[in-house]
Amino acid sequence: MARRIRAKGLAAGRTAAQIAEEIHEACEPQFGTTKIKGHRLSHGIALADVIEQVRALFERDEKPPPGIGETLLSAYESGLKRPGPEYLHYLCSVYRVEPKSLGYDGPCICGHGHRMPGVVRSETIDAIEIDRPRDVWVPASSTEPTDEAGEEHENVMRRTLLRLLRGDTSLKLDAQVIGAAEGIRRRMDEMLVSSSVSAAMLDQWEDATLAFGRQYTTTAPLRLLCDVLLELSAVRAAMSRRQPIDLQERLCRMAAQLAGLSGMIMINLGDHRLARSFFRTGRTAADETGDRALRAWVTAREALVPLYYGDAREALNLAKKSRDLAGQTSCAAQAMAPVVEARALAMISGTDSKKEIVDQAKKALLRARNAFTHMKAHEQEDVAFGYTEKQLYFYQGDVLTKLGQTLEAEVVLGQALDKYSDHILDQTLIRLDQAQCRLIEGDVGEALKIGTAALMKLTDEYRTELVMRPALQLEQSVKAREPNHPDLPDFQSQLYKPQAAPVGEGSNGA
């Protein structure tokens, strides 16, 4: 049947894409023919032909041979599996159509069309350009208003995500990614100050938001940022149209959570300016919900920016503001805010702490532990939108370290490390606190060994400013005490280890 439809279509001058639609419409009711299979049949080729074309495209783009074979392609065509972002891009390139034509929602990860000449090669994915290419194809059926700047911001995140999926660990938070992130955030701000999605779609977005929170401890920051910002952009698009009050409130809640999570990731990546901006957006969205717990959570998370990068006194003020916002509401912020308050007090006082400062900080930690016991069970397990026991131990140990209470600190830090099976960032910070404890006690050699072992566990994508700053502080403290210590060079070799070459570069092509 497909062969007859193809022959008639070619005789009538129809395109392969048009013939594919006719094959799908005619064969799907009787044979269950999927859209993606319809495209192969419209070209009159076998599974092996498609595989060879995909392999040729991989070879052209100087990439390792793909793992796709006839069995996997057959699974795609039967609907048993869905191609991942990279394979979907190359299948679209083979058939010169967009994902929707193959039966898949959403744009291709490359952010460009596949119908026009000159936009299929992967160089268009890797190109770092601010201006949007003139030959980008936009589906004529799109009901969204044209927004070239917004689409390009999303394309930047898609291109970055694709390179990360391809194993490029050299990517950093560069000016283009920062510009795209800021653009998405600004457009969300515009919607919040200016502003029909289905309840089922909202349920899916809420599930995705919670999933991103769970990935916060296990996914490299830049990779997670791409996913979160693309979701935030989708929520913004929904908010551009007036919704019923209950749906609008749910959208604002998701916007606050996604913006807050973006701010948290920006802290990890070391961009405190953009982190502040995202938290400000999160506060704007949270204010629209009237939810005290949500507003307090955003403010408590925002307090970490000055705690790590600015004025500890400002962090102390924000922590107190978060505590006031929470009021008597049992929530994560009631435990988080006192911990930030204690950490700020410890930073203000230093290790030569007066007894009253130590007492204030310990009282704040006691309030945090008490608040933690009253939190809901699901909040105690949520590392991003809640507050977990391992976080409580970690930050308690950090406070005691900064106060110079090394005996207590080492016990608590050991308990914290035992509870961490993921989140390499926090594990490294805990070990660097342990090293500081040993240094304060005068055991320079052990401090350097702990610090060296901590840095050896870090891969390039986790060597962010947030982690490297305390490592640099450890180096300076050791040099001030024993600049010629024999273990210092080993620590410095890990501290200043050169970054891996980008994929495809270097003498061995790795």
Side-chain angles (χ1 to χ4, degrees), residues 418-459:
D418 289 342
K419 292 180 179 294
Y420 271 94
S421 59
D422 52 18
H423 204 345
I424 188 63
L425 291 179
D426 279 1
Q427 289 181 37
T428 305
L429 292 172
I430 291 171
R431 292 188 175 99
L432 291 174
D433 272 343
Q434 290 177 321
Q436 282 288 357
C437 283
R438 294 305 179 102
L439 186 61
I440 293 171
E441 293 170 355
D443 193 345
V444 180
E446 186 63 20
L448 287 169
K449 288 178 182 177
I450 294 173
T452 302
L455 294 179
M456 288 177 68
K457 296 178 182 294
L458 282 180
T459 52

Side-chain angles (χ1 to χ4, degrees), residues 6-123:
R6 177 174 182 268
K8 292 180 179 179
L10 290 174
R14 297 188 181 92
T15 65
Q18 291 171 333
I19 295 171
E21 284 295 322
E22 292 181 15
I23 291 174
H24 170 69
E25 290 176 3
C27 297
E28 195 275 336
Q30 185 175 352
F31 304 105
T33 305
T34 58
K35 287 189 175 183
I36 187 172
K37 185 173 183 179
H39 277 274
R40 179 173 62 81
L41 296 175
S42 74
H43 284 75
I45 56 179
L47 289 167
D49 296 312
V50 179
I51 298 302
E52 287 303 322
Q53 288 186 42
V54 171
R55 287 174 178 166
L57 290 172
F58 269 73
E59 182 180 353
R60 179 206 64 189
D61 294 340
E62 299 180 354
K63 297 171 64 175
I68 189 172
E70 292 184 35
T71 302
L72 185 57
L73 182 56
S74 179
Y76 296 157
E77 291 191 352
S78 64
L80 295 176
K81 289 188 177 182
R82 174 192 169 100
E86 187 174 38
Y87 284 166
L88 179 58
H89 164 68
Y90 281 100
L91 288 171
C92 287
S93 299
V94 168
Y95 295 128
R96 298 296 177 95
V97 294
E98 302 311 302
K100 186 176 181 181
S101 295
L102 299 182
Y104 305 108
D105 295 332
C108 180
I109 195 171
C110 70
H112 297 281
H114 301 85
R115 292 188 178 181
M116 300 295 287
V119 298
V120 177
R121 290 185 60 82
S122 69
E123 285 82 346

Side-chain angles (χ1 to χ4, degrees), residues 234-255:
V235 172
R236 182 213 61 81
M239 294 178 69
S240 66
R241 299 179 296 275
R242 280 291 181 183
Q243 307 290 346
I245 293 177
D246 58 332
L247 298 187
Q248 191 75 5
E249 183 176 327
R250 291 173 65 183
L251 287 167
C252 285
R253 169 176 290 279
M254 282 186 286

